[in-house]
Amino acid sequence: MVNLDALIFLVLLVVVICFFRRLSNTVFFIAIFDIFLRILTFLKYNTIPEIKSFIAKYFPESIPNIIGKYAKDDLYTILVWAYVILMIIFLFYIVRIFIRKKKF
């Protein structure tokens, strides 16, 4: 059986890569997707049981959680390090945007 969480993420990632074709857009997509999942995780642990069960059933907690569900051992380590490198690149982009927008 195909698991939809990884499939949806991969399809969206391929669409972003094909449509935008820039590393920065891909990095922003991955960060936005992960932040969205982490907000849902917060809501899962801090809301009523009906919402908690819906979110727990249909949404993973984060991108590393998706990686951990389908990859083991060395592949997991490589993919999580790739994720961390992408998050470092995202942080670099955000800091650069913040510095450029600075108005003193």
Side-chain angles (χ1 to χ4, degrees), residues 43-98:
L43 293 174
K44 177 173 78 172
Y45 292 117
N46 294 295
T47 59
I48 59 175
E50 292 81 14
I51 293 175
K52 180 178 180 173
S53 64
F54 176 79
I55 292 172
K57 184 176 180 182
Y58 292 109
F59 295 98
E61 291 194 1
S62 64
I63 291 176
N65 184 268
I66 295 171
I67 294 170
K69 193 184 296 185
Y70 302 107
K72 302 293 180 226
D73 300 328
D74 291 340
L75 180 61
Y76 173 79
T77 303
I78 291 167
L79 291 175
V80 167
W81 271 105
Y83 167 79
V84 168
I85 290 168
L86 288 173
M87 290 298 103
I88 292 169
I89 294 169
F90 172 70
L91 182 61
F92 170 75
Y93 286 144
I94 294 297
V95 169
R96 191 174 70 179
I97 291 169
F98 179 74

